[in-house]
Amino acid sequence: MPVTIVTDSTCDLYPQVVEQKNITVVPLRVQVDTKSYIDGVNINTEQLYDFITEGHKLPTTSQPPVQDFIDTYSKIKGDILSIHIASSLSGTANVANQAKQMLGDDGRRIRIYDSRNLTLGMGLLVLAAKEQADLGKSTDEIIDYLDALHSHLHIYFSLSDLAHLHRGGRIGKATMAIGSLLKVKPIFTFESNNLVQHDKAFGNVQVINKLAALALHDHLIRPISRIYVAHGGCAEYLPQLEDKIRQTLEGDYELLRGEIGSVIAVHAGPGALGVMYY
């Protein structure tokens, strides 16, 4: 029996991909005013942005209840590899560990893997894990594969409004103020379990050019095999980014489109544009 791949909703894989690949997703929560929503079930990114623009209190996010993981793991027969958002950003992996312990598992059947990444960067790892599982690889073999892949995984994204990251405690007040005053679009990456500003751009055209240039730089060092172009609340720029990537990168690689989910959107705000690849 193949290893079952479990993840959480911050992987931001489209529902049809999750269904087609037979990946199990445990959703996080989004709190708007006094109501709690289930990510990807009764709230999506578009609805989340509507809440923000309508002037509701700033939404917040939380990890899944431990019972959700207990219920999920209990229904699965055989070995489980549970892959989750970076533990430096969320307590989701910790909750998954609690569920494993409450089920009396010592790690022989259920293994928890900290992706040390987020959104479709984590989604890429989930897809790779599922492909290895379908090849009949053991949990240890899949984890070794993911660890090796991780060193070649890159994520770059720009944001239009840094206030959301600042309110969530992800960046300092000075960084937010500089971006707001100068109308700069910082380009962030995720390394050493932290969001780090890698570059900056003025306007989405320059963002697109710089994202493509970053991908080309890494592509020339080690050819990219799979790349996501993704947006949050600015779908109109996605075809331009996709075209720029195709024009810039030669070779045989899989180019996919994606959208950040409502949990990540709470912290990113509208206007996010990015590339994630290995």
Side-chain angles (χ1 to χ4, degrees), residues 16-182:
Q16 55 266 38
V17 174
V18 169
E19 182 177 0
Q20 178 188 8
K21 300 288 187 180
N22 195 26
I23 297 167
T24 301
V25 176
V26 179
L28 275 73
R29 301 296 193 267
V30 175
Q31 183 82 18
V32 182
D33 296 331
T34 59
K35 186 170 182 179
S36 180
Y37 295 87
I38 304 174
D39 184 26
V41 176
N42 59 359
I43 189 171
N44 58 33
T45 306
E46 184 178 354
Q47 292 168 323
L48 187 280
Y49 287 143
D50 285 343
F51 284 132
I52 292 175
T53 57
E54 288 169 3
H56 288 265
K57 183 179 178 182
L58 182 71
T60 58
T61 60
S62 62
Q63 59 263 25
V66 67
Q67 190 62 46
D68 285 8
F69 280 109
I70 291 174
D71 293 343
T72 297
Y73 295 155
S74 298
K75 294 175 184 176
I76 297 171
K77 296 181 180 179
D79 292 342
I80 297 170
L81 178 57
S82 204
I83 304 170
H84 300 291
I85 184 174
S87 57
S88 60
L89 298 176
S90 170
T92 301
N94 183 53
V95 175
N97 262 311
Q98 291 178 34
K100 181 189 74 171
Q101 293 166 8
M102 291 172 71
L103 287 170
D105 189 90
D106 58 3
R108 294 183 183 180
R109 189 176 86 91
I110 305 170
R111 299 283 292 278
I112 311 300
Y113 186 81
D114 182 349
S115 73
R116 293 162 284 157
N117 220 289
L118 70 160
T119 188
L120 288 158
M122 182 174 85
L124 287 170
L125 292 175
V126 171
L127 290 176
K130 177 58 179 173
E131 289 163 359
Q132 292 297 301
D134 288 344
L135 290 173
K137 302 295 185 179
S138 68
T139 302
D140 284 336
E141 289 174 322
I142 298 171
I143 288 175
D144 288 343
Y145 183 84
L146 295 183
D147 284 343
L149 186 62
H150 196 278
S151 62
H152 304 293
L153 178 65
H154 302 273
I155 172 171
Y156 297 103
F157 59 93
S158 73
L159 302 177
S160 292
D161 186 353
L162 301 184
H164 301 276
L165 270 186
H166 173 62
R167 288 174 187 143
R170 307 303 181 193
I171 60 171
K173 189 173 183 180
T175 302
M176 181 195 72
I178 291 172
S180 300
L181 288 173
L182 300 180

Side-chain angles (χ1 to χ4, degrees), residues 88-89 189-196:
S88 60
L89 298 176
T189 188
F190 193 72
E191 58 185 38
S192 301
N193 280 333
N194 288 296
L195 288 177
V196 178

